[in-house]
Amino acid sequence: MDTEKHVSFVSDIAKHGADAALILARFRHFLELNKAAGRNIHDDSVWTFGSAESLVEYHPYFNAKKIARILSKLEADGVLVSGNYNRKKYDRSKWYTIQRPAYLLISQKWEMHYSTVGNAFPERGQ
């Protein structure tokens, strides 16, 4: 695990508890894969989908009800955002993204404001 991911994971444990941090780490992994592949991009964000039952495959130490509770809590806390981007209207599978971290945004609009610089110090008026 690289340093940035480790810091994020430790921060997630402190904020949300170890169980939720494990689920968030899995979502970050899926979202990073989707961003790298350029897939599941909607509304300027990268998304992944899955049910609590499907996440048991990756987290066999939890049951589906426990994962569903974790997902609900993370949504209520505003950490996870859910949506529905299914092609078929009857499909109610939830899609998830993590609340707008910079690495998940597809287009980032940055405005840089530079002051007039002389000798590496901003100029100041009288």
Side-chain angles (χ1 to χ4, degrees):
M1 182 179 285
D2 66 27
T3 304
E4 187 176 319
K5 288 180 183 179
H6 179 74
V7 169
S8 178
F9 185 66
V10 171
S11 175
D12 286 343
I13 291 172
K15 290 178 189 172
H16 310 291
D19 295 348
L22 288 169
I23 299 297
L24 282 172
R26 178 63 54 191
F27 275 109
R28 280 195 180 90
H29 175 72
F30 289 149
L31 293 167
E32 288 171 359
L33 290 175
N34 286 345
K35 183 176 181 180
R39 66 176 173 244
N40 296 339
I41 298 168
H42 305 282
D43 299 330
D44 201 32
S45 291
V46 181
W47 295 78
T48 188
F49 56 90
S51 63
E53 292 80 14
S54 68
L55 287 170
V56 170
E57 178 181 335
Y58 299 99
H59 302 281
Y61 36 84
F62 294 141
N63 61 38
K65 286 184 180 183
K66 171 82 173 180
I67 293 175
R69 284 192 302 272
I70 292 168
L71 294 175
S72 292
K73 176 85 168 91
L74 289 170
E75 270 192 270
D77 291 347
V79 178
L80 280 183
V81 177
S82 65
N84 184 331
Y85 297 101
N86 300 305
R87 291 184 179 141
K88 298 178 179 168
K89 293 189 183 218
Y90 63 84
D91 186 352
R92 296 192 175 255
S93 299
K94 269 189 171 181
W95 291 58
Y96 294 97
T97 193
I98 296 175
Q99 180 60 39
R100 295 300 216 183
Y103 72 89
L104 291 177
L105 294 176
I106 298 306
S107 65
Q108 296 179 348
K109 297 174 182 144
W110 299 93
E111 289 186 26
M112 300 295 285
H113 299 282
Y114 296 99
S115 61
T116 306
V117 176
N119 295 328
F121 295 102
E123 289 182 4
R124 296 183 186 190
Q126 293 292 338

